[in-house]
């Protein structure tokens, strides 16, 4: 086994979608499949065709895709106790999915065999063996997931091993040990995996897999321990999405296998630089805010805040880092705040794209940041606002637009729900445009109106959307007269960025954060205003909207 890569098996599309609140459309699933294949995953589990029509549709659509790396797997259970395998609807749906790989799960734990399935120990072994044999005879690569394997093994090791042997004897080429309830400790997983690796007693040794859930917060550790104990196939999901507390996070596992255990992996360890993009892409498609503190890929993963850490990091970059961030496509980052000294500000400034370092004096900028933060601004966690602050200090920087004025009305009439309407006047390239929009709240209405105005000039803003909006009161003592700090996270398929605004007025603070967000988007996407003749039709449609909101 030494030298052969550890195979990563992605089950985001099946187990990952068990996460509460995570819904993927057919188009979303196909997008993620394409991306995982590009990333080099050897296996992608697409869903459970026997369980719902959406998954069956997915396999219909996936049939016409060509894969560069991945083998697509359909997932399902062993035959029902009372069915003949050839008549079992679930097994039929698996074959109809026409995937090269079929992954079926069966029971390893007598509690489930008798208590849940109402089967005898012998019946269960027959269900496993016949199901695997039927699928293998149809030419499928069969992966056998031993559900509750570790709990079953603790209860009755001989029987748990007998279920694996039944699968292997029937033609399963991979058997996967599952900690379905996610409650095992790491030393237990290591010991039981080691005894399976050495004691299966079959002629053709199968590939040994691990599939764990994170209910005890140990899914990554348990997956790594299983690999060290002899497993060479690891199942998990991107960003650890999954039921309850989640599945094992394949993103973290992949980085650890390659960088900490120095093991060959498939996808290969040299591709780790794309890891943040992949994690981010799946979060975007799943519409889940990316975790800034995720190991290796979070925006805070290599961010240093304290003044001492900051100064040390400037001198010796790896002083407070466990790996070189460049290996996982990241860069060290110093958090700009009143906690950080001049070194933080200067160093962060050097990292701002296309910045000529000698144009701005770090000491002057540091003073300005402290002054602005004293007034309630927050550049900490608002890197895009900080980048703009530096950018705006550069000679020759021309802001891509100017907000001339804005109005927001919030009203509630005749006991109906509150509604908000905003109008914005924006100047771009010497031209002033006036737009209005409704929203479910004042900030949403302002965002819509501002975006509508700018979209006529910068169609690239189409793919930019609000991800998160947070409000904090800076000076709690002053209650409603306090300064408000608004933090906005904005997303685009190329990344997310955070901007902040502060003001005594919550709407003005929100508008400042929105302004930064869209100005940063235009800069970041390198968008140029469309020429006058190109935008006449867009102006015409906006003109109509403007006329439509004129009071009658
Ligand atoms: Zn699972």
């Amino acid at each position: 086994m030494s030298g052969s890569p550890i195979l990563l098996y992605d089950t985001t599309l099946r187990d990952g979608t068990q996460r509460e609140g995570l819904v993927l459309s057919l188009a979303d699933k196909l997008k993620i499949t394409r991306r995982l294949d590009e990333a080099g995953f050897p296996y992608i589990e697409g869903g459970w065709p026997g369980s719902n029509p959406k998954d069956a549709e997915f396999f219909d659509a996936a049939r016409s895709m060509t894969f560069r790396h991945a083998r697509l797997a359909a997932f399902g259970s062993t035959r029902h106790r009372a069915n003949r395998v050839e008549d079992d609807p679930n097994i039929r749906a698996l074959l109809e999915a026409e995937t090269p790989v079929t992954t079926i799960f069966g029971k390893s734990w007598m509690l489930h065999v008798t208590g849940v399935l109402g089967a005898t120990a012998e019946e269960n072994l027959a269900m496993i063996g016949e199901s695997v044999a039927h699928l293998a005879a149809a030419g499928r690569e069969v992966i056998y997931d031993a559900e509750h394997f570790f709990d079953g093994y603790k209860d009755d090791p001989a029987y748990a091993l007998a279920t694996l042997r039944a699968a292997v004897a029937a033609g399963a080429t991979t058997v996967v040990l599952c900690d379905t309830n996610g409650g095992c400790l790491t030393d237990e997983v290591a010991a039981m995996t080691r005894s399976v690796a050495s004691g299966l007693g079959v002629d053709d040794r199968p590939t040994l897999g691990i599939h764990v859930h994170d209910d005890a917060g140990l899914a990554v550790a348990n997956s790594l321990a299983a690999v060290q104990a002899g497993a060479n196939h690891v199942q998990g999901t991107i960003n650890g999405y999954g039921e309850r507390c989640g599945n094992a996070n394949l993103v973290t596992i992949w980085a650890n296998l390659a960088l900490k255990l120095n093991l060959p992996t498939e996808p290969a360890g040299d591709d780790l630089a794309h890891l943040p993009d992949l994690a981010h892409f799946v979060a975007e498609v799943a519409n889940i805010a990316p975790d800034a503190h995720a190991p290796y890929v979070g925006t805070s993963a290599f961010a240093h805040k304290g003044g001492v850490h900051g100064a040390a990091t400037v001198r010796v970059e790896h002083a407070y880092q466990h790996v070189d961030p460049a290996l996982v496509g990241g860069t060290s980052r110093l958090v700009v705040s009143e906690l950080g000294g001049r070194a933080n500000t200067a160093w962060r400034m050097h990292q701002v794209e296309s910045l000529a370092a000698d144009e701005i004096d770090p000491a002057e900028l540091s003073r300005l940041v402290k002054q602005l933060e004293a007034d309630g601004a927050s550049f900490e966690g608002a890197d895009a606002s900080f980048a703009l602050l530096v950018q705006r200090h550069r000679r020759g920087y021309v802001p891509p637009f100017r907000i001339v004025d804005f109005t927001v009305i919030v009203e509630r009439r005749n006991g109906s729900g509150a509604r908000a309407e905003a109008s914005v006047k924006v100047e771009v390239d010497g031209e002033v445009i006036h737009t209005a929009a409704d929203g479910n709240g004042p900030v949403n209405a302002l965002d819509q109106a501002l975006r509508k105005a700018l979209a006529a000039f910068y169609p690239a803003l189409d793919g930019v959307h609000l991800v998160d909006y947070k409000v904090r009161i800076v000076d709690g003592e002053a209650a409603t007269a306090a300064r408000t700090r608004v933090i906005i996270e904005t997303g685009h398929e190329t990344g997310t960025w955070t901007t902040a605004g502060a003001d005594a007025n919550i709407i003005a603070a929100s508008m400042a954060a929105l302004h930064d967000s869209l100005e940063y988007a235009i800069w970041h996407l390198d968008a140029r205003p469309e020429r006058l003749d190109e935008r006449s039709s867009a102006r015409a449609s906006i003109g109509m909207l403007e006329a439509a909101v004129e009071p009658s």
Side-chain angles (χ1 to χ4, degrees), residues 249-286:
N249 186 343
L250 270 190
V251 170
T252 319
I253 289 170
W254 181 12
N256 281 325
L257 287 172
L259 301 178
K260 299 301 171 82
L261 298 180
N262 291 312
L263 290 169
T265 55
E266 198 178 334
D270 342 339
D271 294 333
L272 282 174
H274 306 297
L275 209 50
D277 283 350
L278 174 68
H280 183 265
F281 175 84
V282 173
E284 281 285 312
V285 175

Side-chain angles (χ1 to χ4, degrees), residues 11 14-16 18 45 75 145 147 178-181 211-213 235 243-244 246-247:
T11 180
R14 202 271 306 171
D15 232 6
Q18 299 298 310
E45 191 173 84
F75 177 88
D145 276 9
E147 197 192 31
C178 302
D179 184 14
T180 309
N181 293 357
H211 173 122
V212 299
H213 283 254
Q235 300 193 349
E243 199 167 8
R244 304 186 308 275
N247 280 58

Side-chain angles (χ1 to χ4, degrees), residues 165-181:
R165 288 192 193 107
V168 176
T173 48
T174 300
V175 291
V176 183
L177 313 181
C178 302
D179 184 14
T180 309
N181 293 357

